[in-house]
Amino acid sequence: MTDFGDMYRPSEEHEAFRAAVRELCEEKVAPNAAEADELAEFPKASLEALVAADFHAPHIPEAYSGVGADALATVIVIEEIARVCAASSLIPAVNKLATLPWLLAATEEIKQTYLPPIAQGEAMASYCLSEPESGSDAVSMRTRAVRDGDHFILNGVKRWITNAGLSDFYTVFVVTDPDARSKGISAFVVEKSDGGVSFGAPEKKLGIKGSPTCEVYLDGVRIPESRMIGAEGTGFETAMHTLDHTRVTIAAQAVGIAQGALDYALGYVTERKQFGKALAEFQGLQFMLADMGMKLEAARQLSYVAAAKSQRGDADLTYFGAAAKCFASDVAMEITTDAVQLLGGYGYTKDFPVERMMRDAKITQIYEGTNQIQRVVMARHLLAGLPH
């Protein structure tokens, strides 16, 4: 028989990576999480700690001054950061989301210009796809780019842009041919310093309050054609290919949030006494804990399988990326809600972190494609007999 060995187990290197991230997060990220949430302020100290340890954009290849972490290692980084602070986990997650289109489709000139500053922690990047009138229906975007010689003039509004205003570079999807539907969308690198770029006020959100979410305004922004990502008209394909990979990072974020909530709940029920014994001794609560642990591990394993498929570029990545993101985020919402329940009245207060984790978990069911859209994606693959 085949010796499966470590086929289904993260390598020793991956686990050493996890240990390093966890130690850093416990010491230098967790202490900032509650304040970042309470004040709705970006945790700069957490960013500095992640940059110092090269965990802010681990996916960038060594050729561009990065550490060249594989997809599973990147997932582990995001999972471990999210375990203590979901808002901070968006630093590596969104850096990957915004730069993956460059790695997939951009010229070497773009890669050499924009990847090293991010890899070295000197800059951040954001991904601009959604608009006020087009969220799930990205093909209906209205932001336009009109050719002007060897430049394009961009006009429009992008909404729900994570870390907008903080980021130096923006991967922006625009319509270059209004009559061609999805084949008429192109992508550009826009710099924060470009004339005509401005930002709206941060949204007042339910969760991930330490990560600003703003509108991005493009008012006559003049961009050289050399900053187009891929060929004209290939932007939508690049956007969807990117999301196939990065939905796995949202799954990781959800797993991390859920793990943080379960960890806290386990500690609480072990120490808290009612009716003369610890809550952990009540079978009804043991069953809740068992379900939380079981579903969390299923979500983690599905996410790791999807990460492996992302690394290899498997044909069934679209299905597995959607499945991991959908399942893990649904599980995270369930586990965090149960964690609040296990803490009772204490869980409902800001004195304990599980209420923050419950609020943070909700967004994982929404961004990078709502879970309803993920189910559409999965169903299409099943019905069409596509790889899954």
Side-chain angles (χ1 to χ4, degrees), residues 127-143 157-160 173-175 178 180-183 185 236 239-240 243 247 366-374 376-377 380:
Y127 183 87
C128 302
L129 181 64
S130 295
E131 297 185 2
E133 301 299 323
S134 65
S136 298
D137 182 14
V139 175
S140 296
M141 69 176 63
R142 298 178 182 177
T143 299
V157 179
K158 292 295 180 178
R159 179 171 280 179
W160 315 123
F173 297 89
V174 298
V175 177
R181 294 289 288 164
S182 66
K183 299 295 185 183
I185 293 171
F236 185 77
M240 295 302 106
L243 292 172
R247 281 172 180 151
I366 298 171
Y367 56 17
E368 293 202 28
T370 66
N371 282 5
Q372 287 68 34
I373 290 293
Q374 306 311 318
V376 169
V377 169
R380 282 178 179 168

Side-chain angles (χ1 to χ4, degrees), residues 253-282:
Q253 185 184 49
V255 168
I257 295 169
Q259 185 68 63
L262 177 57
D263 288 348
Y264 200 90
L266 286 167
Y268 181 85
V269 299
T270 302
E271 296 174 9
R272 172 74 166 171
K273 288 183 167 55
Q274 292 286 272
F275 305 103
K277 57 183 179 180
L279 294 181
E281 295 180 48
F282 291 93

Side-chain angles (χ1 to χ4, degrees), residues 230-245:
E232 187 171 344
T234 63
F236 185 77
E237 181 182 349
T238 298
M240 295 302 106
H241 192 189
T242 296
L243 292 172
D244 285 344
H245 290 274

